[in-house]
Amino acid sequence: TLCLYLLEREHPIAGGVILGLAAALKVFPALLIAMLFWRRRFRAGWAALGTAAGITLLSAGVAGWSTSLDYLGLLRQMGYGSSTWSGLGQHYHIAPANQSPAALITRLLTVAPEAGLAGIASMPRLASILSAAVALLLLGVSFYLSRPSAGAKAPGESRLIYGSFILTALLVPSLMWDHYLTIALLPLVLYLNRLNRERPGPIELGLAAAAVFLINVPYNFWDPAFSKGWAVALASVKLPGVLLLFGLLFRRCGPPERWATPEICRVAKV
């Protein structure tokens, strides 16, 4: 939030440093650094990348290089279709409260009695391939729809793209616990602030309300009914809400003609 605040007030170096600090502390904001370069915000991008790299190297040196290299072994356990500390009986990649697209796909294609899960099939290789394909699709959509353009832009496009990439960074990894979605509050506020200034139609309002409800609804992910067959998908109740918000944000990022009423379009052209 502070990074966005500084970027909008034309303080790219300070905003980049804040984002680099966030990326050094928690890996997922690093995607926003790539977004800065993609959007040609080079001063902010280099400041973020330099800060993240510098803090990472400094902390690695303080902790000890051997300890830091040992951490790379842990990173290998964080890929699609695997779980950190699986040797200790952890099944994070297929836990019902894991709301990522990869978790949904993997749960459906996993039969693991030790984890109390019986999906529709036991096809771990296919699950990994599909999870990677969905991640690449989300990244492709995000970068394509946020590409720099000389054409008409929606008001406040940059802040909506910023919020959209936060959601992308949440959706792409194999782990997205339900409580991670407190991070979706910023994109949600940015989107609702946009609606407060415009006249959305009833369909968009209904979809926005559904997204807010699904992201925030209290839910018993661990209900045994969600552990067998196609019912496994019912544990991923918050994922559709995040995807809805993702789509709504990017829809408002397009040219005004894409979302505005005919009257607004005529005024804009005049």
Side-chain angles (χ1 to χ4, degrees):
T1 303
L2 182 56
C3 171
L4 178 60
Y5 177 86
L6 291 169
L7 291 178
E8 288 202 328
R9 282 152 183 79
E10 299 301 327
H11 299 295
I13 303 299
V17 168
I18 292 296
L19 181 58
L21 174 61
L25 294 173
K26 187 73 173 173
V27 177
F28 89 91
L31 183 62
L32 295 173
I33 300 178
M35 180 270 295
L36 289 177
F37 283 106
W38 177 246
R39 298 284 295 170
R40 301 173 184 168
R41 302 292 300 270
F42 296 114
R43 294 178 66 194
W46 284 117
L49 184 61
T51 300
I55 293 177
T56 299
L57 290 173
L58 176 63
S59 61
V62 171
W65 295 106
S66 60
T67 300
S68 300
L69 290 173
D70 286 342
Y71 179 64
L72 296 179
L74 192 64
L75 285 177
R76 286 193 288 270
Q77 302 175 26
M78 298 181 182
Y80 297 127
S82 60
S83 172
T84 310
W85 299 306
S86 57
L88 300 178
Q90 302 296 337
H91 305 97
Y92 298 145
H93 63 305
I94 53 175
N98 183 355
Q99 299 292 287
S100 71
L104 171 59
I105 295 169
T106 307
R107 281 172 54 77
L108 283 170
L109 296 176
T110 295
V111 175
E114 70 279 8
L117 177 64
I120 59 175
S122 179
M123 304 176 73
R125 181 62 178 168
L126 178 60
S128 295
I129 292 174
L130 291 177
S131 297
V134 170
L136 289 174
L137 177 62
L138 287 168
L139 287 170
V141 168
S142 298
F143 280 101
Y144 177 77
L145 294 179
S146 65
R147 64 193 185 282
S149 172
K153 296 179 174 64
E157 177 188 73
S158 295
R159 64 170 59 178
L160 291 186
I161 289 175
Y162 188 92
S164 300
F165 267 85
I166 291 176
L167 294 180
T168 306
L170 285 173
L171 288 165
V172 166
S174 61
L175 191 63
M176 184 176 75
W177 293 118
D178 61 304
H179 61 265
Y180 283 14
L181 297 182
T182 55
I183 298 170
L185 178 61
L186 175 57
L188 180 59
V189 168
L190 294 174
Y191 173 72
L192 294 178
N193 181 63
R194 167 61 63 81
L195 291 192
N196 191 45
R197 297 165 183 246
E198 296 165 3
R199 295 166 55 187
I203 294 178
E204 183 173 1
L205 282 177
L207 292 175
V212 172
F213 174 78
L214 290 172
I215 289 174
N216 290 281
V217 61
Y219 201 72
N220 180 17
F221 304 103
W222 309 94
D223 191 317
F226 306 151
S227 63
K228 296 180 181 179
W230 287 103
V232 163
L234 298 177
S236 298
V237 66
K238 295 184 181 288
L239 176 58
V242 181
L243 293 174
L244 265 177
L245 181 59
F246 176 83
L248 291 169
L249 274 164
F250 267 125
R251 181 175 181 273
R252 288 275 164 179
C253 288
E257 287 81 0
R258 182 184 300 178
W259 47 263
T261 63
E263 292 78 9
I264 293 177
C265 289
R266 283 194 293 271
V267 172
K269 289 177 181 178
V270 172

